[in-house]
Amino acid sequence: MKIAILGGGHGAYAAAADLSEAGHEVRLWRRDAAALHPVIRAGAITLKDAAGVREVPLALATADIAAALEGARLVVIPTPAIAQYDIALAMAPHLVDGQVVFLPPGTFGSYVMARLVKQSGNLADVAWAETGTLPYLARKHGEREVNVTVRAIRLPTGVYPARKSAEAIEVIREAFPSVNACGDALSGALMNAGPVIHPPLMVMNAAPLQHFERWDIHNEGTQPAVRAVTDQLDRERIAVREAFSQGAPHYPLADHYENDRWMYGDAHKQLVKSGDWRENIDLHSHRYITEDTELGLAFLASAARYAGVDAPIAHGLLAIVGGFLGRDLRQGPRTFERLGLAALSKTELAQRLHHGE
């Protein structure tokens, strides 16, 4: 299958190498041509995992998004949600009927990006999908080298518009067999693990993150008090899902720590053992704040408000992060209110998510 990978981060390089090695025709696009040049020059990415180290050739690495998208059946965008606005506008002139765009994860980006493309004037019949996490726990080890610690074994995925769910899931599953349908885009967004796991880790590790040059929030930073807050925040997420009549499995985050039933299986020990997450994290600019808190947690809190679910942990964490950022995060760009959804009834919302705008 012809697949376009859009992005230049850990997840994009992991997806490009992994899917190319699996036999797909992969085109990798990155807007920063200079940063992409080592991949263009070599024509390959160095992939490291439990099987060893090897060179994986790509069909194309390019800074020309039109070249990457041409003929692609599947478009994979494993970028932070803060990049989705610019990417949507860049890809809008080139999308055509029948393409499937996959956001792992999306932070409700399937709905947001679809609207942006339509507002740009492109009315192509495209399916947009999003899942709860990246297909990989991965970190780049060099300018064209990526280390994959764990691959996801379960990827619950929602589709916008939901009427195209069966078609979209079939296409995505050719590349990612672990994908399974979980309903519409709202259901997919409420599977997103980032806004549940990362804000408590950032808030409750704020002092060591600012004191030490490098700190592993998944090792020393994950203590019983942090876990207790994370578990309660996840119970709020599940309560929101239930308020929207979204059924189990809800993939409770506790499974990530306690057993092998979560999206990555029994992966927490491998994540810590790799050492790749002992890093410098800036409390103002890291994606755990800009993506998972300012967008993802704000979205979850707004969904709770809409559904009438009491979510004190979500709102409390949002207030604390707003306190050290110096701004109110309750009405951020990816909330029900700012997206114009708060005024819809649940029936109207469900119809919009099923049929599209």
Side-chain angles (χ1 to χ4, degrees):
M1 179 167 59
K2 292 182 179 180
I3 301 175
I5 310 289
L6 308 185
H10 311 297
Y13 277 45
D18 213 45
L19 296 177
S20 184
E21 188 173 52
H24 298 286
E25 183 182 319
V26 172
R27 296 96 169 269
L28 173 65
W29 170 83
R30 185 175 184 178
R31 75 182 77 201
D32 187 340
L36 184 63
H37 184 69
V39 180
I40 296 174
R41 183 178 62 244
I45 288 175
T46 303
L47 176 63
K48 300 167 61 178
D49 59 14
V53 182
R54 61 269 191 201
E55 291 289 295
V56 180
L58 305 183
L60 178 69
T62 179
D64 180 352
I65 198 167
L69 291 172
E70 185 178 6
R73 184 73 173 95
L74 176 65
V75 182
V76 183
I77 311 180
T79 64
I82 56 174
Q84 290 170 352
Y85 182 88
D86 289 342
I87 292 175
L89 296 182
M91 68 194 298
H94 312 293
L95 291 174
V96 298
D97 289 350
Q99 289 182 310
V100 176
V101 181
F102 183 45
L103 311 176
T107 318
F108 207 48
S110 53
Y111 178 81
V112 172
M113 294 182 78
R115 277 184 33 167
L116 285 169
V117 168
K118 185 176 181 180
Q119 289 166 4
S120 77
N122 186 338
L123 303 182
D125 188 20
V126 173
W128 301 77
E130 61 182 270
T131 188
T133 189
L134 274 168
Y136 314 93
L137 289 176
R139 282 291 186 269
K140 291 164 71 177
H141 283 184
E143 53 191 11
R144 65 175 191 88
E145 181 178 289
V146 64
N147 181 59
V148 175
T149 300
V150 177
R151 291 170 174 82
I153 60 173
R154 302 175 186 92
L155 287 172
T157 300
V159 177
Y160 179 78
R163 60 179 173 79
K164 297 182 72 66
S165 181
E167 169 193 339
I169 295 297
E170 182 180 0
V171 171
I172 299 168
R173 196 174 281 148
E174 284 188 49
F176 301 100
S178 53
V179 159
N180 59 277
C182 73
D184 59 28
L186 179 58
S187 178
L190 291 174
M191 287 293 189
N192 195 345
V196 176
I197 191 171
H198 294 137
L201 288 172
M202 297 296 279
V203 168
M204 300 179 77
N205 285 278
L209 285 173
Q210 291 193 320
H211 178 73
F212 296 107
E213 182 179 355
R214 294 181 179 275
W215 182 255
D216 190 339
I217 58 175
H218 298 288
N219 190 9
E220 297 94 338
T222 302
Q223 299 299 327
V226 180
R227 279 291 320 281
V229 171
T230 304
D231 287 347
Q232 182 56 42
L233 176 59
D234 201 42
R235 283 191 281 272
E236 293 176 1
R237 176 190 68 89
I238 292 171
V240 173
R241 286 184 53 80
E242 291 173 339
F244 283 105
S245 301
Q246 295 166 356
H250 300 297
Y251 294 90
L253 191 59
D255 287 348
H256 171 59
Y257 299 98
E258 298 170 1
N259 55 60
D260 63 356
R261 295 193 297 270
W262 201 60
M263 299 181 203
Y264 292 119
D266 187 10
H268 183 68
K269 294 183 181 67
Q270 297 176 66
L271 183 153
V272 171
K273 183 180 179 181
S274 75
D276 276 353
W277 279 262
R278 183 171 300 281
E279 56 189 342
N280 179 267
I281 294 180
D282 185 271
L283 284 177
H284 289 76
S285 62
H286 198 277
R287 73 169 188 85
Y288 293 166
I289 293 294
T290 59
E291 176 183 24
D292 292 330
T293 307
E294 292 189 68
L295 297 184
L297 186 60
F299 175 79
L300 174 60
S302 75
R305 288 194 298 272
Y306 175 93
V309 173
D310 187 28
I313 303 297
H315 286 94
L317 288 168
L318 205 59
I320 292 171
V321 175
F324 65 68
L325 292 181
R327 56 184 180 273
D328 188 345
L329 303 183
R330 290 174 294 181
Q331 299 298 324
R334 206 160 290 192
T335 58
F336 269 50
E337 293 85 357
R338 288 284 293 276
L339 292 173
L341 302 177
L344 301 179
S345 68
K346 282 190 176 180
T347 299
E348 291 169 331
L349 175 62
Q351 289 174 343
R352 177 174 297 187
L353 293 174
H354 181 80
H355 297 289
E357 285 191 285

